[in-house]
């Protein structure tokens, strides 16, 4: 059987996917697209050394004409949906890096594109595939700890030191324009994926825009919180942003009817499990380091989790039940992403709870067609909402010029 021909759109974040495709037994890298030519030059040199013929494109319009079965979207995080729709309509399978959509209207149109195309859409929320979060999913689905009552997901990552390297001094870079609750699926996603429970309502909170980030050009709240109610009545606190903590915190807790599970706040890769016995408050606590379900994954990015996004995407395209079971589909992806959009609306409406639509239901999602509410002007149109907690976006050009200088000089933020 011929290998799947895969392209990658976005050669910075896409570097991990590119590397994973070089030696994949079932797929081959055939094309890369990026607007920044030095990244393409690097790909060209690497491909030459490996004896690989590779199409290199600065324009997506040219890239989409290449002979490809599937494409990985690793471009700017607020622009994934329009490209995913074009690719699905062209007959390609799509794996989207985070985030899924920027608006509820994009959610409607993306689901429709997936349904009419019949192609595989996979969401690359890699934090669902850590050795710990994958184990939490396995043990929850097995019934070890009972039904979820409350969960917490935490993604604390102060990016200020690398801000020049990830925003390039662009005033309208998505990271400078995102709302405080936009980038929510690293904290919320693993809980949704582990339990299979759908969110039904959300309330949002945020902190002020602090000087250490404003001086780098970011105008949104420094951190965001989503308080989510799930379909079974369980609650979830999802927190993410640039709070001061080193090393950053990636932490998950699940409190259930028969016990609890939580990752270690300081020792990454370790899982704590409590299972209660026949008496209240008496049970067994264990702490261990789960093994990855596939040997060799540890060498990929983000603690080994990047390997699984690509692996399950390819296996699903090939019809393998393992891929079907473990790849994140468009409906689950929206369950992870949409609460962040609606939490921002909640914040702008004074903390009013927002109902989370089920995009599996055509009638329910239809209500949100044309809903372009977001913090990105070019997408929102007349539904634009400022990401700034106090609606103050007055950042001098000199700030972005200095960030760009630091990027070009290789200096930290």
């Amino acid at each position: 059987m011929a290998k799947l021909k895969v392209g990658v759109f976005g050669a910075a974040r896409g570097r991990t996917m590119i590397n994973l495709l070089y030696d994949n037994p079932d797929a081959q890298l055939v094309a890369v697209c990026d607007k920044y030519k030095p990244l393409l030059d690097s790909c060209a040199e690497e491909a030459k050394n490996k004896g690989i013929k590779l199409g290199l494109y600065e324009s997506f319009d040219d890239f989409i004409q290449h002979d490809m079965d599937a494409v990985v979207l690793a471009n700017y995080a607020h622009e994934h949906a329009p490209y995913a729709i074009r690719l699905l309509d062209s007959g390609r399978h799509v794996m989207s890096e985070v985030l899924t959509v920027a608006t509820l209207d994009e959610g409607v149109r993306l689901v429709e594109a997936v349904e009419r195309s019949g192609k595989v859409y996979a969401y690359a929320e890699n934090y669902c595939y850590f050795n710990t979060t994958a184990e939490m999913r396995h043990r929850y689905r097995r019934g070890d700890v009972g039904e979820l009552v409350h969960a917490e997901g935490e993604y604390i990552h102060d990016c200020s030191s690398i801000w020049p390297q990830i925003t390039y001094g662009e005033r309208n870079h998505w990271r400078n324009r995102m709302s405080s609750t936009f980038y929510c699926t690293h904290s919320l996603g693993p809980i949704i994926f582990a339990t299979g429970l759908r969110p039904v309502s959300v309330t949002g909170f945020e902190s002020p825009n602090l000087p250490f980030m404003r001086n780098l050009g970011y105008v949104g709240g420094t951190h965001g919180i989503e308080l989510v109610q799930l379909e079974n009545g369980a609650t979830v606190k999802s927190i993410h942003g640039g709070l001061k903590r080193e090393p950053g915190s990636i932490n998950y807790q699940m409190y259930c009817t028969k016990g609890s599970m939580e990752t270690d706040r300081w020792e990454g890769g370790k899982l704590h499990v409590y299972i209660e016995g026949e008496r209240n408050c008496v049970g067994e606590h264990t702490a261990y380091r789960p093994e990855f379900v596939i040997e060799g994954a540890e060498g990929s990015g983000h603690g080994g989790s990047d390997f699984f996004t690509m692996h399950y995407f390819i296996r699903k395209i090939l019809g393998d039940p393992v891929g079907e079971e473990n790849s994140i589909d468009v409906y689950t992806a929206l369950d992870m992403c949409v609460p962040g959009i609606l939490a921002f609306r909640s914040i702008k409406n004074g903390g009013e709870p927002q109902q989370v639509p089920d995009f599996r239901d055509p009638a329910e999602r239809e209500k949100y067609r044309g809903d372009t509410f977001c913090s990105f002007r070019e997408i929102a149109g007349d539904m634009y909402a400022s990401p700034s907690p106090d609606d103050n976006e007055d950042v001098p050009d000199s700030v972005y010029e200095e960030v760009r200088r630091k990027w070009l000089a290789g200096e930290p933020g």
Side-chain angles (χ1 to χ4, degrees), residues 202-233:
V202 61
T203 305
F205 301 88
E206 67 181 356
S207 60
N209 175 244
L210 297 180
F212 78 96
M213 287 306 299
R214 192 173 190 85
N215 291 340
L216 292 167
Y218 174 62
V219 299
T222 301
H223 86 287
I225 295 177
E226 300 83 41
L227 293 182
V228 180
Q229 189 118 48
L230 302 180
E231 60 185 319
N232 73 332

Side-chain angles (χ1 to χ4, degrees), residues 45 117 120 146 206 216 218 223 243 288 312 323 342 344:
E45 182 66 23
S117 72
V120 170
E206 67 181 356
L216 292 167
Y218 174 62
H223 86 287
L243 301 176
Y288 63 104
Y312 292 134
L342 289 170
F344 181 45

Side-chain angles (χ1 to χ4, degrees), residues 152-169:
E152 301 194 6
E154 181 173 296
Y155 172 60
I156 302 304
H157 186 191
D158 179 3
C159 292
S160 57
S161 67
I162 60 171
W163 209 251
Q165 285 68 50
I166 60 176
T167 66
Y168 325 119

Side-chain angles (χ1 to χ4, degrees), residues 311-313 315-316 320-328:
H311 174 74
Y312 292 134
F313 175 49
R315 297 315 307 170
K316 186 171 182 178
D320 187 339
V322 170
E324 181 69 37
E325 178 185 357
N326 293 292
S327 182
I328 301 170

Side-chain angles (χ1 to χ4, degrees), residues 42-119:
S42 174
C43 291
E45 182 66 23
E46 198 167 56
K48 180 181 177 181
N49 293 338
K50 292 179 176 293
I52 296 172
K53 185 179 180 181
L54 194 60
L56 299 167
Y57 302 94
E58 294 179 64
S59 164
F60 182 85
D61 289 340
D62 294 331
F63 171 71
I64 198 173
Q65 302 303 318
H66 198 96
D67 181 18
M68 301 177 290
D69 302 306
V71 171
V72 175
L73 293 177
N75 55 312
Y76 282 179
H78 68 313
E79 296 180 341
H80 290 161
Y83 292 105
I85 292 167
R86 286 184 63 183
L87 288 162
L88 290 161
D89 285 342
S90 74
R92 274 60 172 259
H93 306 284
V94 172
M95 183 172 83
S96 174
E97 241 283 307
V98 297
L99 270 76
T100 317
V101 296
T103 69
L104 295 172
D105 174 70
E106 287 185 350
V108 175
R109 294 187 291 112
L110 177 62
V111 166
E112 291 176 341
V114 173
E115 290 177 347
R116 68 174 171 259
S117 72
K119 296 298 179 180

Side-chain angles (χ1 to χ4, degrees), residues 369-385:
R369 191 183 301 277
D371 188 335
T372 59
F373 170 86
C374 70
S375 65
F376 307 108
R377 291 183 188 275
E378 69 278 16
I379 299 173
D382 60 6
M383 296 188 75
Y384 172 75

